[in-house]
């Protein structure tokens, strides 16, 4: 009964967070922890669910890291980074049998608890981040006055597949709300012949969008500056929709929240599974850098709880 009440409380708290402002990891973490708490009342289901929650995301993470390591070594030859990804990814991927071997060798309850705590913490973080991304990709509830499309690297001087999908998603939304203004946000990288926003502007004009409907932001160098630089085109009363790739959505919205830009997100689907997994892991890594103190602190607390 107690676990049901705690789980219900976490889910209700998560709904409150989502209703207030869903642009936070808590929008995924609280409902997820609530569901896990509910499952503790069903012992066999809880055990299976726990193993699933821990092994599945870490298995995917391990597969992606192993693939990256193999790709780096095959393309660039011997390198510390390549071997780190290859070996590290393989160890993560074989966590389940490795866990069993360590248990048979050491028979240490503390070892088991610490391994489950560390791996479980990482797995829950991955799952919560994914759920928060899904929640922030729910259908729009506003009629936009500004549509902010985030840039992506140019390929051979032109719009590449990732940027093309973002543009097509933003232009499709513009066709539904033709009175909205388009903000193209993207500066010029060292390997780019022109700012991304200029290429984005040209693409939109070729699709028939009038020049008067487009604003260009050409100074940004990353996601954070995308938002800080684009902010000058946004008024306090504007209803903003931020358009970017699905894997990139949550972090972009977090930066928007930090910049005081009130907006909702439109996630553009990325079709290639391996690329999406790689990108998602990079996004999660970037998120941990943003919260460089809170996330390690949480891990330390989890380990301390195991030692008590």
């Amino acid at each position: 009964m107690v676990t049901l009440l705690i789980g219900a409380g976490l889910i209700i708290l998560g709904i409150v967070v989502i209703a207030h402002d869903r642009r936070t990891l808590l929008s995924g973490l609280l409902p997820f922890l609530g569901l896990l708490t509910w499952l503790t009342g069903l012992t066999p289901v809880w055990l299976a669910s726990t193993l699933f929650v821990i092994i599945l995301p870490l298995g995917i993470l391990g597969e992606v890291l192993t693939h990256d390591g193999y790709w780096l070594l095959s393309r660039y030859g011997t390198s510390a980074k390549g071997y780190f990804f290859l070996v590290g990814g393989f160890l993560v991927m074989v966590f389940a049998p490795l866990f069993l071997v360590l248990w048979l060798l050491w028979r240490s309850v503390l070892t088991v608890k610490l391994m489950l705590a560390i791996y479980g913490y990482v797995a829950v973080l991955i799952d919560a981040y994914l759920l928060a991304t899904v929640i922030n990709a729910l259908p729009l509830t506003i009629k936009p006055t500004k549509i902010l499309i985030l840039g992506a690297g140019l390929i051979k001087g032109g719009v590449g597949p990732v940027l093309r999908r973002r543009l097509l998603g933003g232009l499709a939304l513009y066709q539904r709300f033709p009175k909205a203004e388009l903000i193209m946000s993207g500066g010029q990288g060292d390997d780019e012949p022109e700012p991304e926003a200029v290429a984005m502007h040209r693409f939109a004009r070729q699709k028939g969008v009038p020049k008067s409907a487009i604003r260009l932001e050409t100074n940004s160098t990353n996601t954070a500056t995308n938002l800080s630089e684009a902010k000058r085109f946004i008024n306090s009363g504007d209803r903003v929709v931020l358009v970017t790739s699905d894997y990139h959505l949550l972090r972009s919205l977090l930066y928007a929240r930090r910049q005081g830009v009130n907006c909702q997100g439109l996630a553009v689907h990325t079709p290639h599974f391996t690329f999406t997994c790689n990108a998602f892991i990079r996004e999660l890594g970037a998120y941990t850098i943003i919260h460089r103190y809170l996330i390690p602190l949480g891990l330390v607390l989890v380990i301390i709880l195991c030692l008590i």
Side-chain angles (χ1 to χ4, degrees):
M1 184 64 180
V2 175
T3 56
L4 290 176
L5 290 175
I6 294 174
L10 287 169
I11 292 174
I12 291 171
L13 187 57
I15 293 172
V16 171
V17 168
I18 293 168
H20 174 67
D21 191 342
R22 60 194 187 190
R23 298 173 298 171
T24 169
L25 183 66
L26 292 177
S27 65
L29 180 61
L30 291 172
F32 184 73
L33 290 178
L35 291 173
L36 286 182
T37 303
W38 273 351
L39 291 174
T40 59
L42 306 171
T43 306
V45 177
W46 167 242
L47 178 60
S49 301
T50 301
L51 292 175
F52 179 79
V53 163
I54 292 175
I55 293 173
L56 180 63
L58 289 173
I60 295 174
L61 174 64
E63 186 277 331
V64 171
L65 291 176
T66 304
H67 174 273
D68 284 355
Y70 175 77
W71 182 83
L72 286 170
L73 292 172
S74 61
R75 180 158 184 173
Y76 298 107
T78 301
S79 68
K81 184 177 181 181
Y83 282 117
F84 175 78
F85 278 11
L86 184 67
V87 176
F90 178 77
L91 290 176
V92 170
M93 192 165 48
V94 299
F95 160 68
L98 178 64
F99 172 77
L100 178 61
V101 169
L102 291 176
W103 165 248
L104 292 174
L105 287 176
W106 292 339
R107 298 280 181 172
S108 169
V109 175
L110 178 60
T111 300
V112 172
K113 289 172 66 177
L114 285 174
M115 284 190 66
L116 283 177
I118 295 170
Y119 278 84
Y121 182 83
V122 175
V124 168
L125 180 62
I126 294 172
D127 289 327
Y129 193 90
L130 180 58
L131 181 57
T133 298
V134 171
I135 289 171
N136 277 277
L138 291 173
L140 302 173
T141 60
I142 61 174
K143 296 180 179 179
T145 58
K146 298 285 173 65
I147 300 171
L148 171 59
I149 306 177
L150 300 189
L154 301 181
I155 305 297
K156 297 180 180 179
V159 172
V162 172
L163 184 52
R164 178 183 176 84
R165 285 184 171 272
R166 294 183 187 182
L167 285 165
L168 290 176
L171 295 182
L173 184 62
Y174 172 77
Q175 289 176 353
R176 290 172 53 198
F177 303 100
K179 292 184 179 180
E181 283 187 340
L182 288 163
I183 303 173
M184 307 298 189
S185 177
Q188 182 175 0
D190 295 336
D191 58 345
E192 295 175 323
E194 62 183 356
E196 294 162 10
V198 173
M200 295 162 71
H201 174 270
R202 185 164 56 249
F203 183 95
R205 295 285 289 125
Q206 291 170 352
K207 296 295 183 180
V209 179
K211 185 178 180 180
S212 60
I214 304 174
R215 299 288 179 268
L216 297 185
E217 180 285 298
T218 59
N219 298 321
S220 57
T221 56
N222 52 39
T223 304
T225 53
N226 276 142
L227 275 303
S228 61
E229 293 291 334
K231 188 177 178 181
R232 69 178 186 269
F233 297 112
I234 299 171
N235 302 317
S236 58
D238 277 327
R239 299 181 299 274
V240 182
V241 171
L242 184 153
V243 182
T244 190
S245 305
D246 44 12
Y247 60 82
H248 188 234
L249 182 68
L250 182 58
R251 187 164 65 93
S252 302
L253 290 173
L254 292 172
Y255 277 123
R257 185 179 183 178
R258 285 191 168 196
Q259 293 291 340
V261 178
N262 189 21
C263 64
Q264 292 185 10
L266 176 64
V268 179
H269 176 60
T270 307
H272 303 294
F273 178 75
T274 302
F275 175 83
T276 302
C277 287
N278 273 277
F280 178 78
I281 290 169
R282 289 197 302 269
E283 288 298 314
L284 184 59
Y287 177 83
T288 60
I289 292 173
I290 297 173
H291 299 84
R292 59 177 62 91
Y293 302 115
L294 292 179
I295 290 179
L297 178 61
L299 180 59
V300 170
L301 290 175
V302 167
I303 294 174
I304 289 174
L305 289 174
C306 289
L307 296 175
I308 295 176

